[in-house]
Amino acid sequence: MLISLAHAQAPSGAGGFLGGEGIMGLLPIVLMFGLLYFLMIRPQMKRAKELKAMTDALQKGDEVITAAGLVGKITKVGEVYISVEIAAGTEIQMQKGAVQTLLPKGSIKAIS
């Protein structure tokens, strides 16, 4: 005959998963989750924590940039809302979460 008989592979000594084959098969998946955590999840959690600390520390007189790109000075701070003066005599009410960046004092004068 031209075709030889196919033989089944002999079973490993301790058997599949407990023998180390399953653990070595899971190693790439575990490494991918570890890489995902350190490259994506952890920096995002750190950024969220910094943003929360910044919004909790907002005070009257701070100069800020909002998520919409407006630059202004905080005139009133409430529990959830703040008043921001974006021009002389023009104040808007917005949520604290809309503040994106806290600017150093005197930044508004340097911009204009």
Side-chain angles (χ1 to χ4, degrees):
M1 299 235 355
L2 298 173
I3 301 174
S4 62
L5 294 175
H7 298 286
Q9 183 178 358
S12 61
F17 186 74
L18 297 176
E21 295 172 4
I23 293 173
M24 291 305 288
L26 289 177
L27 187 62
I29 296 172
V30 171
L31 289 175
M32 290 296 286
F33 277 114
L35 189 66
L36 177 75
Y37 176 77
F38 282 107
L39 292 179
M40 293 179 67
I41 297 171
R42 190 168 176 241
Q44 186 176 5
M45 287 173 39
K46 183 179 176 185
R47 174 72 178 134
K49 187 186 293 185
E50 290 172 356
L51 188 61
K52 178 154 175 44
M54 188 259 310
T55 55
D56 289 342
L58 289 176
Q59 302 174 20
K60 181 179 176 181
D62 286 344
E63 297 176 0
V64 296
I65 298 177
T66 67
L70 297 173
V71 178
K73 184 182 281 190
I74 297 176
T75 57
K76 295 178 191 168
V77 179
E79 192 71 26
V80 179
Y81 296 98
I82 58 172
S83 293
V84 179
E85 182 179 29
I86 56 173
T90 306
E91 285 188 19
I92 57 173
Q93 301 285 327
M94 61 177 41
Q95 294 180 336
K96 282 185 174 182
V99 174
Q100 188 173 15
T101 308
L102 184 62
L103 297 172
K105 300 282 185 188
S107 295
I108 293 177
K109 288 184 181 180
I111 293 172
S112 7

